[in-house]
Amino acid sequence: MSTDTGSSRGAAGGVLLLCRAGPDAVAPVVPLLRERTGIAGAGDGWTLLVPEGEPWRNGETVERVATGWAFALAVGVSWPVLAVWWDADRSGCVLASGFRRPVPYVWLGNGTAVGEDEAMRTLGEGLGLGAGAGAGAGALLALTRPEPSVDGIGRLRGLLAALAGLGLRLPDGVAPGETVEGLREVVREVVPEGAVRERVEVGGGVRAAGAGAEAGGSGVSGGTGARVVAWVQVGLGVPVLVWGVRRRRAGWVVAGLVLVGDGVVGGVRAGAWGRA
């Protein structure tokens, strides 16, 4: 359940998206964020994404934006996404994995935990730090206990330190509390908004193939890559829409409609519905 109080609307903040997969697997789904996004490897089997937009300055909250971004990435893939976020008053994280309900955890600015211990356990299990993971699991549960000397940003640093046991290594200069502008300076490789990335099967595996600027052009408005993105958006949007309608969840219904709408429009422009 979200702990969003609405007090941080319009405040400065930031989001780091940590994907439990390598950059080649993550790059094809980045366009679903609908933001220019920095991308970098973050250790063994991890990818860091830094969206350049700041929707929270236009009336949304950082927590809700982070949750939406994480869900958009995770709903159609086999790996989880952890969104780490902060604003002027609070900090937190949310784990998204497939169609499961996102698992959030929040700290106040002074480091006071306002989430449930069970949520942190579920979050750890989703990332591979379950009860049998030893010190890593213990480090996560320690983040739920009172610690007057650690503020909210310090809690996020503790979370990332616990994930180091799973191979997470953020690039130098990337840390919770940094400004979006500062993060952009560090994570310079960018997937532009609406960029086309294709998943191409190679010898039973999958690699990412860029189109547009990476292919020597200035952008792509059609072709196989654009059709792939359209198919992916519609394929993800329909089940999200059905799930939201069945459970009477307006937010999921809207998300499904947006994905389907974008996919249909993009598919028409790329000729996705007229040829294979």
Side-chain angles (χ1 to χ4, degrees), residues 2-87:
S2 172
T3 56
D4 181 4
T5 64
S7 63
S8 57
R9 287 184 174 86
V15 177
L16 302 175
L17 297 171
L18 304 174
C19 304
R20 195 70 168 90
D24 281 356
V26 173
V29 299
V30 172
L32 296 175
L33 295 177
R34 303 168 69 198
E35 297 276 357
R36 277 177 54 88
T37 301
I39 183 170
D44 185 15
W46 290 88
T47 299
L48 166 68
L49 298 178
V50 181
E52 293 189 355
E54 299 177 79
W56 48 87
R57 293 191 181 276
N58 298 319
E60 190 55 276
T61 64
V62 183
E63 180 184 3
R64 287 181 180 173
V65 170
T67 301
W69 280 342
F71 181 79
L73 290 171
V75 68
V77 297
S78 60
W79 32 266
V81 178
L82 180 69
V84 175
W85 61 268
W86 59 93
D87 61 32

Side-chain angles (χ1 to χ4, degrees), residues 111-127:
T112 300
V114 293
E116 299 291 335
D117 289 3
E118 185 59 33
M120 185 60 77
R121 291 191 185 94
T122 301
L123 190 149
E125 290 169 359
L127 290 170

Side-chain angles (χ1 to χ4, degrees), residues 9 45-46 53 59 108 121 129 142 159 165 177 186 202 208 210 212 227 234 267 270 276:
R9 287 184 174 86
W46 290 88
L108 300 181
R121 291 191 185 94
L129 282 177
L159 170 65
V186 177
V202 180
R227 295 198 297 274
V234 173

Side-chain angles (χ1 to χ4, degrees), residues 8-269:
S8 57
R9 287 184 174 86
V15 177
L16 302 175
L17 297 171
L18 304 174
C19 304
R20 195 70 168 90
D24 281 356
V26 173
V29 299
V30 172
L32 296 175
L33 295 177
R34 303 168 69 198
E35 297 276 357
R36 277 177 54 88
T37 301
I39 183 170
D44 185 15
W46 290 88
T47 299
L48 166 68
L49 298 178
V50 181
E52 293 189 355
E54 299 177 79
W56 48 87
R57 293 191 181 276
N58 298 319
E60 190 55 276
T61 64
V62 183
E63 180 184 3
R64 287 181 180 173
V65 170
T67 301
W69 280 342
F71 181 79
L73 290 171
V75 68
V77 297
S78 60
W79 32 266
V81 178
L82 180 69
V84 175
W85 61 268
W86 59 93
D87 61 32
D89 304 312
R90 303 175 306 145
S91 62
C93 60
V94 57
L95 178 70
S97 181
F99 282 98
R100 298 180 184 87
R101 184 175 182 177
V103 181
Y105 201 89
V106 177
W107 296 273
L108 300 181
N110 63 6
T112 300
V114 293
E116 299 291 335
D117 289 3
E118 185 59 33
M120 185 60 77
R121 291 191 185 94
T122 301
L123 190 149
E125 290 169 359
L127 290 170
L129 282 177
L140 284 183
L141 288 177
L143 298 173
T144 68
R145 301 177 187 126
E147 182 55 66
S149 64
V150 181
D151 62 10
I153 295 299
R155 295 290 199 177
L156 295 183
R157 294 191 182 115
L159 170 65
L160 298 178
L163 296 180
L166 296 177
L168 178 67
R169 300 288 187 276
L170 293 182
D172 291 342
V174 174
E178 294 290 334
T179 64
V180 173
E181 293 77 10
L183 293 171
R184 283 188 204 134
E185 289 298 311
V186 177
V187 185
R188 292 181 175 273
E189 182 181 349
V190 172
V191 179
E193 179 182 359
V196 175
R197 310 282 296 203
E198 299 180 39
R199 292 176 71 89
V200 183
E201 295 185 4
V202 180
V206 177
R207 66 179 175 84
E214 294 179 353
S218 59
V220 175
S221 59
T224 304
R227 295 198 297 274
V228 169
V229 172
W231 291 329
V232 168
Q233 287 181 311
V234 173
L236 294 179
V238 170
V240 170
L241 177 59
V242 172
W243 190 90
V245 169
R246 287 178 175 174
R247 289 161 177 76
R248 299 181 181 179
R249 300 288 180 84
W252 299 121
V253 170
V254 172
L257 288 172
V258 169
L259 280 170
V260 171
D262 282 357
V264 169
V265 172
V268 169
R269 291 174 178 169

